[in-house]
Amino acid sequence: METTGTLYVVATPIGNLEDISARAIAALKQVDLIAAEDTRHSKRLLQHFAVSTPLTSYHDFSSDADVQKLLDDLSAGRSIALISDAGTPLISDPGFRLVEKARACGIAVIPVPGASAVIAALSVAGIPSDRFFFEGFLPAKSTQRCKRLAVLAHESSTVVFYESPHRIAACLADMAAVIAEPNKRKVFVARELTKKFETHFLGSLLEAVAWVASDDNNSRGEFVLVLEGRLEQPDSELDTAMEKAKEVAELLSAELSMKRAVALAAQIVGVRKNALYAVMLEKQG
Ligand code: SAM
């Protein structure tokens, strides 16, 4: 009877080769096959670590037949490591189709975690990291990008974006145009993380626009943008939001406990749970 192989999802460095883990090297050496986004690119990395495992290509445009071939290999008991050009596969990188299908076939999918630019940037930004929303790449066209930014402008969690050197200036300019109080809303620009020309900038959106324009080098390389969540609303807006949250909580409390109704209403309307709880208690006398 055949036992199925394992699909290892292996993170590789985002710049500095020393960021690869010992476990990642061991997994890459031990598997039967490495499925890489770009085999030519990965060959250099694998040579550096003396990994001689056979390589095959897997990317977003791989045909269904190619994906099926990998699944057949796994089902036949061969182990495969999935890698992307840099960082963690599936994080703005190929891999989802293969992982989804492998799971559906009952194949074990095991992470070998390591570098990811989103986490590296968040860990040094100095912007709240307790709750964050990962947006990845915004649309390339300004009209579409502004539409998406108009939605994200209301997000109270920190928002993390990936951006390319060609669009970094335009993207920051759109953020400053669409998001309220760009002179106050903070953004962290992480350029070339873990590499020779690593640069960090932390300031308001308007300051970031000026910083990128101040030196051509500031728009070269790879970027992560960490945007501070929506700032506290002015009192008048907050009062209106609290009124609305109170109404929602009252409706919900017909069906749910007060605690649950308040928690849900606060989440739906976007007010602080404790503040809404206090308002509801006051109302009850
Ligand atoms: N899977 C990768 C990860 O886990 O971070 C991301 C792949 S995505 C195709 C590439 C984007 O990630 C770049 O355009 C950039 O926005 C970001 N990125 C990757 N490496 C970076 C680095 N060293 N410094 C800053 N941003 C980086």
mmCIF file of all heavy atoms in Angstrom, residues 14-15 84 86-89 91-93 115-118 137 161-164 190-195 222-224, ligand 1:
data_model
loop_
_atom_site.group_PDB
_atom_site.id
_atom_site.type_symbol
_atom_site.label_atom_id
_atom_site.label_comp_id
_atom_site.label_asym_id
_atom_site.label_seq_id
_atom_site.Cartn_x
_atom_site.Cartn_y
_atom_site.Cartn_z
ATOM 1 N N ILE A 14 14.557 36.776 2.313
ATOM 2 C CA ILE A 14 14.053 37.905 1.505
ATOM 3 C C ILE A 14 15.205 38.816 1.096
ATOM 4 O O ILE A 14 14.994 39.922 0.612
ATOM 5 C CB ILE A 14 12.954 38.707 2.250
ATOM 6 C CG1 ILE A 14 13.450 39.191 3.617
ATOM 7 C CG2 ILE A 14 11.685 37.885 2.388
ATOM 8 C CD1 ILE A 14 12.528 40.230 4.272
ATOM 9 N N GLY A 15 16.407 38.398 1.312
ATOM 10 C CA GLY A 15 17.581 39.202 0.942
ATOM 11 C C GLY A 15 18.832 38.555 1.493
ATOM 12 O O GLY A 15 19.617 37.953 0.766
ATOM 13 N N SER A 84 9.235 29.796 -3.083
ATOM 14 C CA SER A 84 9.019 30.885 -4.037
ATOM 15 C C SER A 84 10.348 31.622 -4.217
ATOM 16 O O SER A 84 11.362 31.219 -3.646
ATOM 17 C CB SER A 84 7.898 31.809 -3.539
ATOM 18 O OG SER A 84 8.244 32.367 -2.297
ATOM 19 N N ALA A 86 11.376 34.400 -3.045
ATOM 20 C CA ALA A 86 11.878 34.956 -1.777
ATOM 21 C C ALA A 86 10.770 34.947 -0.740
ATOM 22 O O ALA A 86 9.595 35.144 -1.078
ATOM 23 C CB ALA A 86 12.341 36.391 -1.990
ATOM 24 N N GLY A 87 11.138 34.692 0.489
ATOM 25 C CA GLY A 87 10.163 34.752 1.584
ATOM 26 C C GLY A 87 9.272 33.521 1.649
ATOM 27 O O GLY A 87 9.664 32.410 1.246
ATOM 28 N N THR A 88 8.066 33.729 2.163
ATOM 29 C CA THR A 88 7.149 32.616 2.410
ATOM 30 C C THR A 88 6.226 32.393 1.219
ATOM 31 O O THR A 88 5.548 33.341 0.805
ATOM 32 C CB THR A 88 6.328 32.910 3.685
ATOM 33 O OG1 THR A 88 7.247 33.128 4.763
ATOM 34 C CG2 THR A 88 5.405 31.765 4.037
ATOM 35 N N PRO A 89 6.184 31.179 0.664
ATOM 36 C CA PRO A 89 5.252 30.902 -0.431
ATOM 37 C C PRO A 89 3.809 31.232 0.005
ATOM 38 O O PRO A 89 3.498 31.207 1.200
ATOM 39 C CB PRO A 89 5.419 29.395 -0.664
ATOM 40 C CG PRO A 89 6.791 29.080 -0.188
ATOM 41 C CD PRO A 89 7.019 29.993 0.989
ATOM 42 N N ILE A 91 2.389 33.953 0.330
ATOM 43 C CA ILE A 91 2.232 35.327 0.813
ATOM 44 C C ILE A 91 2.584 36.236 -0.362
ATOM 45 O O ILE A 91 3.768 36.459 -0.650
ATOM 46 C CB ILE A 91 3.130 35.625 2.049
ATOM 47 C CG1 ILE A 91 2.907 34.578 3.137
ATOM 48 C CG2 ILE A 91 2.896 37.030 2.585
ATOM 49 C CD1 ILE A 91 1.472 34.468 3.667
ATOM 50 N N SER A 92 1.539 36.670 -1.093
ATOM 51 C CA SER A 92 1.722 37.391 -2.371
ATOM 52 C C SER A 92 2.640 36.605 -3.297
ATOM 53 O O SER A 92 3.428 37.186 -4.037
ATOM 54 C CB SER A 92 2.271 38.817 -2.157
ATOM 55 O OG SER A 92 1.346 39.605 -1.481
ATOM 56 N N ASP A 93 2.567 35.320 -3.239
ATOM 57 C CA ASP A 93 3.393 34.421 -4.042
ATOM 58 C C ASP A 93 2.587 33.176 -4.388
ATOM 59 O O ASP A 93 1.600 32.873 -3.719
ATOM 60 C CB ASP A 93 4.642 33.999 -3.226
ATOM 61 C CG ASP A 93 5.852 34.817 -3.609
ATOM 62 O OD1 ASP A 93 5.815 35.474 -4.653
ATOM 63 O OD2 ASP A 93 6.842 34.780 -2.858
ATOM 64 N N ALA A 115 11.509 33.726 6.805
ATOM 65 C CA ALA A 115 11.339 35.144 6.482
ATOM 66 C C ALA A 115 10.058 35.432 5.714
ATOM 67 O O ALA A 115 9.609 34.635 4.898
ATOM 68 C CB ALA A 115 12.534 35.615 5.660
ATOM 69 N N SER A 116 9.470 36.569 6.031
ATOM 70 C CA SER A 116 8.405 37.139 5.215
ATOM 71 C C SER A 116 8.488 38.653 5.409
ATOM 72 O O SER A 116 8.591 39.129 6.541
ATOM 73 C CB SER A 116 7.038 36.598 5.642
ATOM 74 O OG SER A 116 6.075 37.014 4.699
ATOM 75 N N ALA A 117 8.450 39.383 4.296
ATOM 76 C CA ALA A 117 8.676 40.830 4.375
ATOM 77 C C ALA A 117 7.614 41.520 5.229
ATOM 78 O O ALA A 117 7.917 42.490 5.935
ATOM 79 C CB ALA A 117 8.715 41.420 2.970
ATOM 80 N N VAL A 118 6.375 41.017 5.193
ATOM 81 C CA VAL A 118 5.302 41.655 5.975
ATOM 82 C C VAL A 118 5.637 41.629 7.471
ATOM 83 O O VAL A 118 5.523 42.644 8.173
ATOM 84 C CB VAL A 118 3.905 41.031 5.679
ATOM 85 C CG1 VAL A 118 3.920 39.549 5.636
ATOM 86 C CG2 VAL A 118 2.854 41.468 6.674
ATOM 87 N N PHE A 137 -0.317 43.680 -2.542
ATOM 88 C CA PHE A 137 -0.172 44.688 -3.606
ATOM 89 C C PHE A 137 -1.513 45.377 -3.891
ATOM 90 O O PHE A 137 -2.525 44.698 -4.074
ATOM 91 C CB PHE A 137 0.328 44.049 -4.897
ATOM 92 C CG PHE A 137 1.763 43.588 -4.818
ATOM 93 C CD1 PHE A 137 2.062 42.256 -4.584
ATOM 94 C CD2 PHE A 137 2.801 44.490 -4.970
ATOM 95 C CE1 PHE A 137 3.384 41.824 -4.516
ATOM 96 C CE2 PHE A 137 4.126 44.065 -4.898
ATOM 97 C CZ PHE A 137 4.416 42.740 -4.666
ATOM 98 N N PHE A 161 1.162 46.898 3.184
ATOM 99 C CA PHE A 161 1.137 46.786 1.719
ATOM 100 C C PHE A 161 2.510 46.358 1.209
ATOM 101 O O PHE A 161 3.530 46.696 1.805
ATOM 102 C CB PHE A 161 0.865 48.167 1.090
ATOM 103 C CG PHE A 161 -0.374 48.834 1.566
ATOM 104 C CD1 PHE A 161 -0.360 49.653 2.701
ATOM 105 C CD2 PHE A 161 -1.565 48.695 0.866
ATOM 106 C CE1 PHE A 161 -1.509 50.294 3.129
ATOM 107 C CE2 PHE A 161 -2.718 49.333 1.293
ATOM 108 C CZ PHE A 161 -2.688 50.138 2.437
ATOM 109 N N TYR A 162 2.515 45.665 0.073
ATOM 110 C CA TYR A 162 3.747 45.448 -0.690
ATOM 111 C C TYR A 162 3.704 46.438 -1.848
ATOM 112 O O TYR A 162 2.630 46.722 -2.386
ATOM 113 C CB TYR A 162 3.793 44.012 -1.244
ATOM 114 C CG TYR A 162 4.199 42.956 -0.216
ATOM 115 C CD1 TYR A 162 4.070 41.596 -0.504
ATOM 116 C CD2 TYR A 162 4.737 43.312 1.007
ATOM 117 C CE1 TYR A 162 4.459 40.631 0.411
ATOM 118 C CE2 TYR A 162 5.126 42.348 1.932
ATOM 119 C CZ TYR A 162 4.981 41.016 1.628
ATOM 120 O OH TYR A 162 5.365 40.061 2.537
ATOM 121 N N GLU A 163 4.854 46.956 -2.223
ATOM 122 C CA GLU A 163 4.854 47.875 -3.360
ATOM 123 C C GLU A 163 6.146 47.751 -4.147
ATOM 124 O O GLU A 163 7.188 47.371 -3.603
ATOM 125 C CB GLU A 163 4.605 49.318 -2.879
ATOM 126 C CG GLU A 163 4.190 50.274 -3.955
ATOM 127 C CD GLU A 163 3.095 49.749 -4.906
ATOM 128 O OE1 GLU A 163 3.443 49.008 -5.857
ATOM 129 O OE2 GLU A 163 1.912 50.056 -4.697
ATOM 130 N N SER A 164 6.034 48.033 -5.450
ATOM 131 C CA SER A 164 7.205 47.909 -6.332
ATOM 132 C C SER A 164 7.866 49.280 -6.469
ATOM 133 O O SER A 164 7.232 50.314 -6.237
ATOM 134 C CB SER A 164 6.749 47.404 -7.694
ATOM 135 O OG SER A 164 6.158 48.477 -8.389
ATOM 136 N N ALA A 190 9.568 50.520 4.558
ATOM 137 C CA ALA A 190 10.694 49.603 4.740
ATOM 138 C C ALA A 190 11.237 49.278 3.354
ATOM 139 O O ALA A 190 10.533 48.699 2.528
ATOM 140 C CB ALA A 190 10.228 48.329 5.423
ATOM 141 N N ARG A 191 12.456 49.695 3.104
ATOM 142 C CA ARG A 191 13.057 49.477 1.777
ATOM 143 C C ARG A 191 14.200 48.465 1.898
ATOM 144 O O ARG A 191 15.008 48.553 2.826
ATOM 145 C CB ARG A 191 13.583 50.832 1.291
ATOM 146 C CG ARG A 191 14.424 50.766 0.075
ATOM 147 C CD ARG A 191 14.898 52.138 -0.382
ATOM 148 N NE ARG A 191 15.844 51.918 -1.436
ATOM 149 C CZ ARG A 191 17.130 52.193 -1.375
ATOM 150 N NH1 ARG A 191 17.651 52.784 -0.328
ATOM 151 N NH2 ARG A 191 17.910 51.909 -2.391
ATOM 152 N N GLU A 192 14.224 47.481 1.013
ATOM 153 C CA GLU A 192 15.346 46.532 0.910
ATOM 154 C C GLU A 192 15.701 45.860 2.245
ATOM 155 O O GLU A 192 16.873 45.797 2.630
ATOM 156 C CB GLU A 192 16.579 47.261 0.346
ATOM 157 C CG GLU A 192 16.418 47.734 -1.086
ATOM 158 C CD GLU A 192 16.520 46.585 -2.074
ATOM 159 O OE1 GLU A 192 17.633 46.288 -2.522
ATOM 160 O OE2 GLU A 192 15.479 45.991 -2.382
ATOM 161 N N LEU A 193 14.675 45.355 2.928
ATOM 162 C CA LEU A 193 14.883 44.726 4.234
ATOM 163 C C LEU A 193 15.920 43.609 4.165
ATOM 164 O O LEU A 193 15.898 42.804 3.227
ATOM 165 C CB LEU A 193 13.561 44.139 4.742
ATOM 166 C CG LEU A 193 12.527 45.166 5.204
ATOM 167 C CD1 LEU A 193 11.154 44.514 5.362
ATOM 168 C CD2 LEU A 193 12.952 45.838 6.484
ATOM 169 N N THR A 194 16.782 43.567 5.117
ATOM 170 C CA THR A 194 17.867 42.567 5.295
ATOM 171 C C THR A 194 18.962 42.663 4.228
ATOM 172 O O THR A 194 19.838 41.812 4.163
ATOM 173 C CB THR A 194 17.347 41.091 5.334
ATOM 174 O OG1 THR A 194 17.078 40.642 4.001
ATOM 175 C CG2 THR A 194 16.120 40.923 6.208
ATOM 176 N N LYS A 195 18.898 43.680 3.345
ATOM 177 C CA LYS A 195 19.891 43.788 2.259
ATOM 178 C C LYS A 195 20.834 44.947 2.525
ATOM 179 O O LYS A 195 20.653 45.726 3.462
ATOM 180 C CB LYS A 195 19.173 44.001 0.929
ATOM 181 C CG LYS A 195 18.209 42.894 0.579
ATOM 182 C CD LYS A 195 17.729 43.077 -0.835
ATOM 183 C CE LYS A 195 16.374 42.469 -1.047
ATOM 184 N NZ LYS A 195 15.845 42.745 -2.346
ATOM 185 N N GLU A 222 12.934 47.032 -3.132
ATOM 186 C CA GLU A 222 11.651 46.421 -2.759
ATOM 187 C C GLU A 222 11.099 47.118 -1.517
ATOM 188 O O GLU A 222 11.870 47.505 -0.634
ATOM 189 C CB GLU A 222 11.859 44.938 -2.459
ATOM 190 C CG GLU A 222 12.354 44.173 -3.657
ATOM 191 C CD GLU A 222 12.259 42.680 -3.425
ATOM 192 O OE1 GLU A 222 13.137 42.131 -2.741
ATOM 193 O OE2 GLU A 222 11.298 42.065 -3.917
ATOM 194 N N PHE A 223 9.777 47.239 -1.456
ATOM 195 C CA PHE A 223 9.175 48.030 -0.379
ATOM 196 C C PHE A 223 8.034 47.321 0.352
ATOM 197 O O PHE A 223 7.225 46.638 -0.273
ATOM 198 C CB PHE A 223 8.583 49.327 -0.947
ATOM 199 C CG PHE A 223 9.614 50.280 -1.451
ATOM 200 C CD1 PHE A 223 10.057 50.196 -2.757
ATOM 201 C CD2 PHE A 223 10.168 51.228 -0.617
ATOM 202 C CE1 PHE A 223 11.030 51.059 -3.233
ATOM 203 C CE2 PHE A 223 11.141 52.102 -1.072
ATOM 204 C CZ PHE A 223 11.583 52.018 -2.386
ATOM 205 N N VAL A 224 7.968 47.602 1.643
ATOM 206 C CA VAL A 224 6.772 47.279 2.421
ATOM 207 C C VAL A 224 6.324 48.605 3.045
ATOM 208 O O VAL A 224 7.159 49.367 3.539
ATOM 209 C CB VAL A 224 7.062 46.267 3.554
ATOM 210 C CG1 VAL A 224 5.776 45.939 4.312
ATOM 211 C CG2 VAL A 224 7.682 44.996 3.010
HETATM 212 N N1 SAM B 1 6.495 35.868 -0.338
HETATM 213 C C1 SAM B 1 7.206 37.083 -0.049
HETATM 214 C C2 SAM B 1 7.170 37.324 1.462
HETATM 215 O O1 SAM B 1 6.893 36.387 2.218
HETATM 216 O O2 SAM B 1 7.427 38.434 1.894
HETATM 217 C C3 SAM B 1 6.654 38.243 -0.830
HETATM 218 C C4 SAM B 1 6.715 38.055 -2.309
HETATM 219 S S1 SAM B 1 6.091 39.390 -3.246
HETATM 220 C C5 SAM B 1 6.042 38.739 -4.858
HETATM 221 C C6 SAM B 1 7.447 40.472 -3.354
HETATM 222 C C7 SAM B 1 7.208 41.768 -2.608
HETATM 223 O O3 SAM B 1 7.495 41.576 -1.222
HETATM 224 C C8 SAM B 1 8.131 42.896 -3.049
HETATM 225 O O4 SAM B 1 7.600 43.581 -4.171
HETATM 226 C C9 SAM B 1 8.123 43.766 -1.818
HETATM 227 O O5 SAM B 1 6.952 44.543 -1.762
HETATM 228 C C10 SAM B 1 8.094 42.716 -0.691
HETATM 229 N N2 SAM B 1 9.470 42.355 -0.318
HETATM 230 C C11 SAM B 1 10.099 41.189 -0.524
HETATM 231 N N3 SAM B 1 11.351 41.233 -0.046
HETATM 232 C C12 SAM B 1 11.526 42.456 0.479
HETATM 233 C C13 SAM B 1 12.606 43.116 1.123
HETATM 234 N N4 SAM B 1 13.781 42.517 1.292
HETATM 235 N N5 SAM B 1 12.423 44.381 1.549
HETATM 236 C C14 SAM B 1 11.245 44.996 1.363
HETATM 237 N N6 SAM B 1 10.198 44.420 0.759
HETATM 238 C C15 SAM B 1 10.322 43.179 0.320
#
